[in-house]
Amino acid sequence: MVLSAVTLVPASGFAFELSGAWASQQDLCSRVFTKKGNAIVFAELSDLFGSGFVIDGKRIRGRTAKCTISSRKQEGDNIELAASCATSVMSQSVRFNLKVLDDDTIVRNFPDIPDMTLRYSRCRL
């Protein structure tokens, strides 16, 4: 059991903590998200102010989709997530390729679309 725990930690240190709310523009966090009790939810008309998502453990919530992370692999500042995602219309498997820029900034890369990236900032609510 100890051996399996050691292999989950990357050589460069501990795994990056993704949990929290992430918005496409940090200065618009309060327009994309709000708190309802202890939960972070999307603000009314949040899609007018940018995109975002909330990660809570193995769950990812977007405005229109909910995902469950099935695997995570981290090598240095690159994280690859595989997830099962569902919308009100369909379900599909999705891969997320993320690059950690700092504790509060990640970039999503799209391997099938060269030069396309989306930058997200951690929201402190």
Side-chain angles (χ1 to χ4, degrees), residues 3-10 15 72:
L3 180 60
S4 64
V6 171
T7 60
L8 293 177
V9 179
R72 174 187 169 135

Side-chain angles (χ1 to χ4, degrees), residues 42-111:
F42 286 90
E44 189 175 343
L45 303 175
S46 64
D47 49 342
L48 297 176
F49 299 100
S51 64
F53 56 91
V54 177
I55 297 180
D56 184 15
K58 289 191 164 244
R59 304 238 184 256
I60 304 173
R61 271 186 300 118
R63 182 93 173 142
T64 59
K66 294 181 182 182
C67 304
T68 300
I69 299 170
S70 53
S71 71
R72 174 187 169 135
K73 180 181 176 185
Q74 181 172 344
E75 291 183 13
D77 58 358
N78 294 305
I79 301 171
E80 183 179 303
L81 301 175
S84 299
C85 298
T87 66
S88 61
V89 180
M90 63 183 274
S91 296
Q92 69 181 38
S93 294
V94 178
R95 288 210 170 292
F96 297 94
N97 294 299
L98 308 173
K99 181 173 183 67
V100 177
L101 298 184
D102 60 43
D103 286 345
D104 294 321
T105 312
I106 57 175
V107 174
R108 181 175 179 195
N109 298 304
F110 297 83

